[in-house]
Every structure is written in C-alpha cells, then in structure tokens.
Amino acid sequence: MNERQRARRPGGRSARVSAQVHQAVTGLISERGYGNFTVGEVAARAGVADSSIYRRWGSLETLLTDVALTRLNAQSPMPDTGSLAGDLRTYAAQVAREITGPDGPAVLHLAVALSSSGQQGLQAGADLRAERTRQLQSMLDRARDRGEHAPDASDVLDHILAPMYIRVLFGMELTPDYVDGLVDRML
C-alpha cells in the first residue's frame, strides 16, 4: 500500500463505519423505538465492534444525538430564501413534514428518552438542543445582517416549534395554514 492509499483509508473506513452504525440505529429505532436497544445490538447490526462505537461516540446517548442531528440536518436544513418570513415559513414547513412523516415525532421521543437516562442522557439532550439552536441562530443572524428585525432563537422555539410538537403529541393535525399562522404571529 502506498502513502496516498494509506492516507485515504482511515477517512473512508471511518465514513463507512459511521454510515453503517447510523443505519443500524435507524433500523433499531424503527423497530423498537428510542431507548429500547443497547450499544451491543447496534454494533452487531452494523457489523462493528462495541469498542468502535464507544471510542467514536462514548455512549449510546451521544450516538443517538449524532444520528438525530444528522437526520435533522439532512431532512430539515436551515433555509436561506432571502427573507426572514420566507426562511421561517420554509423551516416551519420542513419541521412539520418531518414530525408528521412516517417516523413521526422521532426527535421528540429521543429528547424524552435522553432526559430519563441519567447525566449522560441529559448532556446529550442539551447538546442536541444547543446545536439545533445554533443553526437556527445562524438563520436569524442572516436576517439581522439584511436589516430585518429577527426574534430570538428561543422565541422561535417557543412560538413556532413547541406548538407544532404539542399538536403532534396529542394527535392533532398540522395543516399548512396552522403552520403559516404560527409564523405570522411570530413576526
């Protein structure tokens, strides 16, 4: 093996292992829900050693957070439409589709599972919220840079996202008009 091949191998293998582990977690979540499997079961399904998972993620809670963030970033990226109203409407519609989709309110279930799994779970949940809030803040900062009056990220969470999650939890419908109305009231 030459130097060039040796230099590429860890990144390629690392990315492959990460994808296998993420796929295993997603499959187990679909079958059993959050919190109903172990690192050993993830490792067996992914075809990797438990130690590989612990070395990379440290705990099941951190792994679940990584999977959730990766999924959120892929399915509900922060929009950049050129206006705050457009960004918030697009983002709210993406979140509504995600939480009413085939997997349902998976991220909410993750947050609940993490909050009841000890200090590591609480930290993983805080990390998940902090990263998503940071991403939301970047969208709001872009609006401010354009000269628009933008709310705080916590206001968006409280007045747009929280009502949507509550409605889904209680089996209530999320219509496009309802979601747009949340954005209108926020603005």
Side-chain angles (χ1 to χ4, degrees), residues 61 111-126:
E61 293 82 6
V112 170
L114 290 175
S115 69
S116 63
S117 62
Q119 188 56 42
Q120 282 185 321
L122 290 171
Q123 185 58 53

Side-chain angles (χ1 to χ4, degrees), residues 79-156:
D80 188 0
T81 65
S83 75
L84 178 60
D87 289 350
L88 287 174
R89 280 189 192 355
T90 301
Y91 179 63
Q94 288 171 344
V95 170
R97 276 191 303 276
E98 171 67 17
I99 64 176
T100 60
D103 295 330
V107 173
L108 182 58
H109 287 268
L110 171 62
V112 170
L114 290 175
S115 69
S116 63
S117 62
Q119 188 56 42
Q120 282 185 321
L122 290 171
Q123 185 58 53
D127 292 346
L128 174 65
R129 287 186 305 279
E131 176 59 21
R132 204 55 178 166
T133 300
R134 185 195 62 74
Q135 294 171 357
L136 182 58
Q137 189 61 54
S138 71
M139 180 177 68
L140 299 171
D141 290 343
R142 278 196 314 268
R144 283 189 192 95
D145 291 346
R146 290 189 301 260
E148 296 179 85
H149 174 73
D152 292 331
S154 61
D155 288 335
V156 174

Side-chain angles (χ1 to χ4, degrees), residues 17-132:
V17 167
S18 182
Q20 290 169 310
V21 170
H22 277 228
Q23 185 175 11
V25 168
T26 302
L28 286 165
I29 290 169
S30 294
E31 294 166 19
R32 302 182 195 172
Y34 283 110
N36 297 317
F37 51 87
T38 65
V39 168
E41 291 169 307
V42 173
R45 184 171 286 205
V48 302
D50 294 21
S51 59
S52 294
I53 293 175
Y54 284 114
R55 185 172 39 256
R56 181 168 189 156
W57 288 280
S59 69
L60 181 59
E61 293 82 6
T62 303
L63 170 59
L64 291 172
T65 300
D66 184 48
V67 170
L69 276 171
T70 300
R71 184 171 172 226
L72 275 172
N73 291 337
Q75 295 180 358
S76 296
M78 289 298 149
D80 188 0
T81 65
S83 75
L84 178 60
D87 289 350
L88 287 174
R89 280 189 192 355
T90 301
Y91 179 63
Q94 288 171 344
V95 170
R97 276 191 303 276
E98 171 67 17
I99 64 176
T100 60
D103 295 330
V107 173
L108 182 58
H109 287 268
L110 171 62
V112 170
L114 290 175
S115 69
S116 63
S117 62
Q119 188 56 42
Q120 282 185 321
L122 290 171
Q123 185 58 53
D127 292 346
L128 174 65
R129 287 186 305 279
E131 176 59 21
R132 204 55 178 166

